Amino acid sequence: MKTLNLENEFLKLSVLELGATVCSLKFKGKETMLGYVTEQEYMDGTCFFSAAVGRYGNRIGNAAFTLDGKEYKLVANEGKNQLHGGPASYDKRVWTVENADGKEIKLSILSPDGDNGFPGNLKMTVTYSLVGSALRVVFEGETDAPTVFAPTFHPYFVYEGTPEIKINASAHLEVDEGLIPTGKLLPCEGKFDFSEMRPIDMSYDDAFVLNDAYALTFKTADYTLEMHTDFPAAQVYSGHEGGVAIEPEAFPDSPNHANFPSTVLRPGEKFCHWAEYRFF
């Protein structure tokens, strides 16, 4: 299985065909990504290290949703809920290389109707490119039947000591004991107030509602990065020692909350969203 590479004066990127996974991203020669060593570890692992995740990033409560009056039962893989598209999903599959011309790495996957319970034959592509000192990730998708689609990129950024973060959000999603949203948006107060740069501990696995395309700043002893995105939320997961996951995404469990932004994708529509990780 190939490893695909891109490099400029600031960044060196390596991507696996398995999971469209970024297995290495070096900024000025220093690794920024937490990951495994071998492809078999990526296949066997459960951390989603820097993979492209689909068909639905994050969680869907009770592994079910209703679309156009029909209920769809999904395959659960986190208790009664579905996480990151279900078992053996896009992160565990070999993607097709569409382009690797030295300017971008574009990979695609075909997800059949009924895949882990989701309706519609769906084609998803993810394109990685380097723009100065930024990694740009573009997600695209098309379907032949109404479905829900909300992919994400799941990088863990390495750090030593205690990292700091600033999040451009005025609200976060209230969740139950299973980390499923209740439907309420809560103000970013107390432990959720990251309006100014401050240390982040290991207690977060939360979706923050972004104010605009500038999402957050993450600072370590070795580098600082900004994430910019047109997704409405950012999931911050700090529960893995040595790395913080920063995921651009739709709201978790959106199909089950009418007040959340829609994640429905219909035939003839084209899904396209992006995120950039800018290093300093």
Side-chain angles (χ1 to χ4, degrees), residues 14-60:
S14 296
V15 179
L16 299 175
E17 293 173 294
L18 177 66
T21 298
V22 174
C23 58
S24 177
L25 181 64
K26 293 181 179 178
F27 173 56
K28 295 188 175 180
K30 191 168 184 68
E31 186 62 68
T32 67
M33 294 285 191
L34 189 64
Y36 297 114
V37 176
T38 67
E39 286 187 2
Q40 191 60 48
E41 288 177 306
Y42 280 101
M43 179 62 77
D44 296 339
T46 60
C47 294
F48 303 93
F49 282 146
S50 303
V53 172
R55 184 171 303 195
Y56 203 101
N58 215 309
R59 296 170 174 87
I60 295 181

Side-chain angles (χ1 to χ4, degrees), residues 25 27 30-34 50 133 154-168 194-204 208 210 213-228 234-247 276-280:
L25 181 64
F27 173 56
K30 191 168 184 68
E31 186 62 68
T32 67
M33 294 285 191
L34 189 64
S50 303
S133 62
H154 204 298
Y156 286 77
F157 293 99
V158 297
Y159 64 86
E160 295 181 4
T162 302
E164 296 183 311
I165 197 167
K166 176 182 178 181
I167 305 176
N168 182 25
F194 289 97
S195 57
E196 302 294 335
M197 187 73 71
R198 68 178 179 87
I200 183 170
D201 61 31
M202 297 182 69
S203 67
Y204 293 88
F208 291 83
L210 302 176
Y214 161 63
L216 56 82
T217 301
F218 178 72
K219 185 176 182 179
T220 76
D222 297 309
Y223 63 88
T224 298
L225 74 80
E226 292 180 356
M227 187 178 81
H228 297 249
Q235 185 83 9
V236 177
Y237 172 59
S238 62
H240 195 289
E241 187 173 357
V244 173
I246 300 173
E247 307 154 57
E276 280 190 3
Y277 297 88
R278 303 175 184 176
F279 288 85
F280 304 93

